[in-house]
Amino acid sequence: AAGMFLRLLSDIQWRAAHPRWRRTTSSQRSTSTTAEPHPVSLPAQAQVVICGGGIMGTSVAYHLSKMGWKDIVLLEQGRLAAGTTRFCAGIVSTARPVSIDLKMAHYSNKLYQQLEQETGVQTGYTKTGSISLAQTQDRLISLKRIASSLNVMGVPCEIISPKKVVQLHPLINIHDLVGAMYVPEDALVSSANVSLALATAASRNGVQIHERTSVSHVTVQKGRVTGVETDRGRIQCEYFVNCAGQWAYELGHSGEEPVHIPLHACEHFYLLTHPLEKPLLSSLPTVFDPDGRIYIRNWQGGILSGGFEKNPKPLFTEGRNQLEIQNLQEDWDHFGPLLSALLRRMPGLETLQIMQLVNCPESFTPDMRCIMGESPTVRGYFVLAGMNSAGISYGGGAGKYLAEWMVNGYPSENVWPLDLKRFGTLQSSRTFLRHRVMEVMPLMCDLKVPRWDFQTGRQLRTSPLYDRLDAQGARWMEKHGFERVKYFVPPGKDLLDLDHSKTFYKPDWFDIVGSEVKCCKEAVCVIDMSSFTKFEISSTGDQALESLQYLFSNDLDVPVGHVVHTGMLNEKGGYENDCSIARLSKRSFFMISPTDQQVHCWAWLKKRLPDDSSLTMEDVTWKYTALNLIGPRAVDVLSELSYAPMTAEHFPSLFCKEMSVGYANGIRVMSITHTGEPGFVLYIPIEYALHVYNEVMNMGQKYGIRNAGYYALRSLRIEKFFAFWGQDLDAFTTPMECGREFQVKLEKGMQFLGQEALLEQKQNGVYKRFTMFILEDHDTDMDLWPWWGEPIFRNGRYVGKTTSSAYSYTLERHVCLGFVHHFDEKTGEELVVTTDFINQGEYEIDIAGQRFQAKAKLYPFSSLFTQRRRKDEVELSGYQRE
């Protein structure tokens, strides 16, 4: 009732402020889903059609029109802001652990602050601040890590004592608190009104808005959007934007070419109360109590409180086509634990009168991050959906980034963590989504220490060796749906203890991984790396070589059998992919990429390779099992198994050769290990995988062979200063910024994508530099560990963040990798980063508010006991990817 009143009030205010838009909609207002008369017909064509009139659709329309695109039609099947946006709690919170989420929320806050002045529509924007409570020391550590990020981003934030909590919010019970985080600039808004304000501004800029218009499907020709079919006729268009919220999945699957958008709705509950006897002040801070799983905000003198229960209720698994979201059934039994947590936190509410328990659908994604970007299969089809209950916080920033993506071809920030292409079709199973969102929703409040893993939707993609490795004590993690080994638990260890040893400090697997690293350096280890993305590209003539020479930055015209490490760069010179390419024959290439590149890399190449029937590209990821043999005795094991000399004279570095191993033929052996250690990777046809693995393990026994996992690999690659794509490298990082000039064919007079940007950097210098930091005053046993995302300080001033880190068992120190920027002390402008600038600074790494001294290096320890750089180390550098 109260929600409906607010909704009607906002309708009246907005339509009064905007008579031009009113003429395009029906004169009748009803909550009925029956068709109404439409006085204005749909246009026959438009540049962009946006489906969905909630916060996301209106934000995209607003930002596109601000950037100069005017020929835009926004279609809403019901009424504007009548979906999840209408029921949104209206909390704008910037306290986000993921950097890109933080940036989106920060921009949204600034946008909403000035929106009322710009449009004349009241948005209810009130700067209240927020307090995040910690009941445990681990929770306080996680808040301190977020606070460190907020402060260096320019968002005011402080860690406060329980006594200060009471001063800010007198109703809070603090008896069980150890501390809290206060963000004074967080705000409250009326979500529906913000959406209407964005629509008003977009309409003034020429966007046409049509309510009561349902999209049935999107038409596609030759892999490109051509138009939209609606219940009121067809609109031809170049771009389609799916902002359909919880209906985005069904809409994606309704087209002629399905677009997989993995999200699923759950019921989300919150409570509305009547005003207190002494009504709450509108300026009272919003309270987040993650350990109690609840949030609390003031609402018209009373409170609004909801949360994320441990046993969520998914809904609409079989699909449901209701136009507007009605308030679903109350379920007091289900809400009971959250109500108890609320009364524990605010005991003074016991006598308060409850007005309503609101139950509305909210969409969640498989990894708790929203979905944004262009479809990998249909060009011109963009998606913005799956906000995981943070739609109003992200709405402004997400709409801005998607509009930039459409207009410029790329957004202004690295949005890979949100990119639709991080998912494959395997995450679109309804059963998978239903089970995963039941895990994801409670995780919104659960403490997330580094290296935690999802438990649902597992054992989906596995190597043929999975059962063999599992029986030997493998502990698993998942990447892009593929099971990968973290480490192997030796017989006799307490497995239960290890599985529950989640901490911000030294983990229980420390010694296990240490022994695997030692074996890699002194004997030989086997790591199953089957999850790597593998493509074969070939042609009848020279088309494959000519195309790849333009799309990759290193020279691929090498003798047959050689392996080239190269970047796949964009126009700005940034890494879209970081891969190894082996030349199998004059006209055939074998490409190895990171695991999560499978969809992105395929789409990138398909878009840019010539449409030529004599040129073929095949995804052969599933055809080969990859075994990485690392260590000085790998050469002995392989020599004995293949009856072929494997020494450097016969099998040089960066070489690829088809060989027999044991009884198996056709095994592609490459002399790289992705770690800088000596060894080989064997790409084995899957039917031979078990045989070859058994042969390798049997033959290797006399050389001290053992299994190892990705944690050992991480330690090895980081101490050798190797970069990962997706963590250290991204679309905004160039080879010049991370010391990889030697992997670029700038001097060979060949055209390649990104060349101009790199030549400009070579001439003018770079504005950030990939740097290695060795922590000096850090106690591995007692101090908090660095993981990634820690602020870096130079001479007391913020210069960047770490991108990855690991303990180096050889150096017996923690090593962090990250980018150093040079900001002008007065203006904050970015300046060129020189070698002298890096070398002449005193550095500190901030771990949850505590700073540790660090030594900066621009080059790896070539031998970890001398500081001489050897040529073969330089050639190997940069091979590791995750």
Side-chain angles (χ1 to χ4, degrees), residues 545-853:
L545 177 63
E546 288 166 7
S547 301
L548 296 181
Q549 284 286 59
Y550 177 68
L551 293 175
F552 292 88
S553 56
N554 209 345
D555 186 5
L556 298 178
D557 195 3
V558 293
V560 171
H562 283 244
V563 181
V564 176
H565 185 240
T566 179
M568 185 174 85
L569 309 182
N570 54 36
E571 289 81 357
K572 304 186 302 299
Y575 280 97
E576 291 294 334
N577 186 9
D578 176 42
C579 53
S580 303
I581 298 181
R583 191 169 194 179
L584 300 178
S585 70
K586 284 282 187 189
R587 295 165 182 172
S588 178
F589 297 85
F590 186 49
M591 176 179 170
I592 314 298
S593 304
T595 303
D596 50 5
Q597 275 280 359
Q598 191 165 15
V599 177
H600 172 69
C601 181
W602 181 269
W604 178 269
L605 289 173
K606 271 289 183 189
K607 192 173 180 178
R608 288 161 181 81
L609 285 171
D611 190 8
D612 185 340
S613 58
S614 58
L615 178 67
T616 59
M617 178 169 71
E618 185 185 0
D619 184 344
V620 295
T621 301
W622 63 275
K623 285 188 176 181
Y624 292 95
T625 297
L627 288 184
N628 195 350
L629 269 63
I630 303 176
R633 308 313 298 265
V635 62
D636 302 308
V637 174
L638 215 50
S639 291
E640 290 202 41
L641 278 175
S642 61
Y643 290 98
M646 301 297 294
T647 54
E649 306 85 63
H650 298 94
F651 208 112
S653 176
L654 300 182
F655 198 66
C656 174
K657 191 174 178 183
E658 236 179 52
M659 301 176 64
S660 299
V661 176
Y663 298 150
N665 284 323
I667 290 159
R668 292 173 184 172
V669 179
M670 293 191 197
S671 48
I672 54 174
T673 63
H674 311 295
T675 60
E677 301 298 329
F680 305 88
V681 180
L682 280 57
Y683 289 96
I684 309 158
I686 56 167
E687 63 264 40
Y688 301 144
L690 206 53
H691 168 74
V692 173
Y693 173 77
N694 290 337
E695 291 286 300
V696 166
M697 294 305 282
N698 291 337
M699 185 62 72
Q701 277 188 342
K702 61 184 174 187
Y703 299 109
I705 199 165
R706 67 178 286 171
N707 293 298
Y710 273 79
Y711 283 11
L713 203 76
R714 179 184 284 119
S715 174
L716 291 167
R717 74 94 181 174
I718 286 177
E719 72 179 20
K720 289 291 178 71
F721 200 13
F722 289 7
F724 278 4
W725 186 88
Q727 265 192 13
D728 309 308
L729 308 179
D730 58 41
F732 288 79
T733 307
T734 75
M736 317 305 261
E737 294 163 349
C738 54
R740 292 185 173 189
E741 299 93 319
F742 65 94
Q743 291 175 2
V744 179
K745 54 193 173 200
L746 279 179
E747 310 302 328
K748 296 201 175 182
M750 284 181 245
Q751 281 274 308
F752 64 89
L753 197 58
Q755 185 175 25
E756 287 178 20
L758 298 190
L759 287 169
E760 191 179 317
Q761 279 193 333
K762 188 173 183 182
Q763 188 176 338
N764 301 334
V766 295
Y767 291 91
K768 62 179 179 181
R769 192 73 190 265
F770 194 47
T771 310
M772 178 180 190
F773 297 95
I774 294 100
L775 295 190
E776 298 200 310
D777 60 343
H778 183 270
D779 185 326
T780 304
D781 293 320
M782 302 303 294
D783 289 326
L784 289 169
W785 275 32
W787 297 99
W788 59 84
E790 290 86 11
I792 303 164
F793 290 86
R794 178 187 180 275
N795 300 344
R797 292 179 60 82
Y798 171 70
V799 290
K801 282 187 176 181
T802 64
T803 49
S804 54
S805 65
Y807 181 80
S808 165
Y809 293 88
T810 316
L811 295 170
E812 297 183 344
R813 289 275 188 282
H814 254 99
V815 177
C816 300
L817 309 182
F819 285 92
V820 171
H821 301 250
H822 183 184
F823 302 109
D824 185 280
E825 291 195 21
K826 290 175 184 169
T827 64
E829 181 190 357
E830 286 207 66
L831 304 173
V832 169
V833 177
T834 62
T835 303
D836 285 347
F837 179 80
I838 299 284
N839 291 336
Q840 290 168 9
E842 296 287 324
Y843 291 90
E844 294 171 302
I845 307 292
D846 178 322
I847 307 175
Q850 188 178 353
R851 294 188 189 181
F852 296 91
Q853 289 181 345

Side-chain angles (χ1 to χ4, degrees), residues 249 264 317 427-438 456-457:
Y249 177 97
H264 197 294
T317 302
Q427 284 96 353
S428 279
S429 147
R430 284 309 251 177
T431 307
F432 167 82
L433 288 170
R434 182 180 175 87
H435 291 174
R436 176 58 64 87
V437 296
M438 290 173 74
T456 53

Side-chain angles (χ1 to χ4, degrees), residues 101 104 365 367-372 384-388 394 398 417-420 422-423:
D101 290 348
M104 286 195 299
T365 64
D367 61 0
M368 292 187 295
R369 299 196 299 266
C370 75
I371 295 172
M372 172 191 296
L384 185 57
M387 293 295 137
N388 299 284
Y394 297 155
L418 315 176
D419 194 329
L420 172 62
R422 72 188 187 271
F423 296 119

